[in-house]
Amino acid sequence: MADSQALPVRAAAPAGLTTTGGGVTPPPAGRPAGRKTRQGPDWRKRAEIAVLSGPAIVVFLTFVIVPVLMAAYYGFYRWKGFGPPTEFAGLQNYVTILTDPTFHAAVGHNFVIVILSLVLQGPVAILFALLMNQKIRGRSVIRMLIFVPYVISEVIVGTGWALMMSDTGAFNTLLGKIGLENLQQSWLADPGIAMGTLMLILTWKYVGFAVILMLAGLQSIPEELYEAAAIDGATFWQQQFRITLPLLGPTIRIWAFLSIIGALQLFDLVNIIWGQYVAATAGTSTMATYMYLNGHMAGNYGYGSAVAVVLFLISLVVALVYQRLVLRRDTEGALTGDSGRKGKKK
């Protein structure tokens, strides 16, 4: 058998290099070795973003930005609500608003409602959430009873409470039946207790929403933390103050933001229970009821539009300040990647 000549063994060329004959050819100039080419043109991503966010942007512009701009435009006129506005008033509507003691009182009522809503609804919601987070019988029934008032229409809630809390309503009648006639009050007309009555109704109505948020936040906390704390000898309440409340902080801050904005724009329950004229004398008027009374009911839609702009600006300032001072660390913590690193450097 003839001896066969051994074939030379070629080493594998490095990535990005090609072999030609017995040598190695470097990659063409201008294309770095090992770098992948861009997958698809950039306009595809932009088109996807436009298609997905376009409808939301159109809805936001149509139902938020455009009405605000139109209200700001009509606020410079004395306009009756029909036809093009012709009687230019300049800044007179805004001067009247800012110098009206009735509007000042309405603004004060709104901020009182904001503070009392946070003070009353927050602790009650946390306590109910802690209760329903335990394994107890009837937990589903308790959840339903607490959440049902929130989903009931404001018209039904307002009408029902107005009938119960009137001078001859069910509440005063019950007090008389059990021998507590001295506790009977004019719950809706007395300026000294009307705000308390309103806060009772608001707490009953909206605490269910806060409970659902708190309960969702509680269920996201790992059980291992409580087990480790129990091994270290921590009591139930120590666990809540050292573990639950700190980790529930983002949920509490989001709920507080929603509660503040809702309290600043409160209208329906006050108008249904107290009516368009009684709310001011009972001390429960709000900026929204002031706008409705002095704009729509008075037939002065230009003035009402100016009040709406002022209400919008107050809500916007409060929201921006709250986001800057309270929600800032939550929003910064949500940033990832390059944007988050750039935010930290700044």
Side-chain angles (χ1 to χ4, degrees), residues 26-248:
R31 181 181 298 178
R35 181 176 297 180
K36 296 181 179 179
T37 59
R38 183 176 299 177
Q39 299 294 330
D42 188 54
W43 62 265
R44 286 187 179 179
K45 291 185 178 180
R46 296 181 179 180
E48 290 176 359
I49 295 174
V51 170
L52 294 176
S53 62
I57 294 175
V58 171
V59 171
F60 180 77
L61 292 176
T62 303
F63 295 101
V64 178
I65 301 301
V66 173
V68 170
L69 296 178
M70 292 179 64
Y73 170 73
Y74 290 131
F76 292 107
Y77 291 86
R78 295 184 181 91
W79 185 48
K80 297 300 181 181
F82 54 89
T86 56
E87 189 177 353
F88 185 74
L91 297 176
Q92 184 58 44
N93 287 333
Y94 295 96
V95 172
T96 304
I97 293 169
L98 298 178
T99 57
D100 188 0
T102 306
F103 181 75
H104 299 165
V107 174
H109 297 158
N110 273 113
F111 281 96
V112 169
I113 294 170
V114 167
I115 296 173
L116 292 180
S117 296
L118 298 177
V119 172
L120 295 177
Q121 296 180 28
V124 172
I126 294 175
L127 291 175
F128 272 116
L130 289 175
L131 174 64
M132 291 188 294
N133 200 37
Q134 307 298 319
K135 296 180 180 179
I136 59 175
R137 283 187 178 180
R139 183 169 58 175
S140 300
V141 177
I142 298 175
R143 288 182 183 179
M144 181 188 67
L145 293 177
I146 293 176
F147 190 67
V148 160
Y150 176 71
V151 298
I152 298 178
S153 170
E154 279 77 3
V155 176
I156 298 175
V157 172
T159 304
W161 278 96
L163 293 174
M164 289 191 297
M165 304 301 286
S166 63
D167 293 346
T168 58
F171 196 68
N172 279 337
T173 302
L174 177 62
L175 292 176
K177 293 291 184 180
I178 61 179
L180 299 176
E181 292 87 354
N182 57 334
L183 295 181
Q184 292 178 339
Q185 302 288 336
S186 182
W187 304 101
L188 301 179
D190 188 353
I193 59 177
M195 182 60 71
T197 303
L198 175 60
M199 293 312 305
L200 172 66
I201 299 171
L202 290 177
T203 303
W204 177 85
K205 166 71 174 165
Y206 295 108
V207 75
F209 175 70
V211 170
I212 294 299
L213 288 181
M214 302 301 176
L215 188 59
L218 286 176
Q219 293 178 349
S220 64
I221 300 176
E223 288 291 336
E224 292 79 4
L225 298 178
Y226 296 104
E227 294 174 359
I231 293 174
D232 291 338
T235 63
F236 174 80
W237 291 110
Q238 287 176 336
Q239 295 176 23
Q240 308 314 315
F241 282 105
R242 301 293 180 87
I243 299 176
T244 303
L245 290 181
L247 295 181
L248 201 60

Side-chain angles (χ1 to χ4, degrees), residues 110 113 198 202 206 262-270 286 288-289:
N110 273 113
I113 294 170
L198 175 60
L202 290 177
Y206 295 108
L264 289 176
Q265 300 175 355
L266 180 63
F267 169 74
D268 39 19
L269 284 177
V270 175
T286 64
T289 59

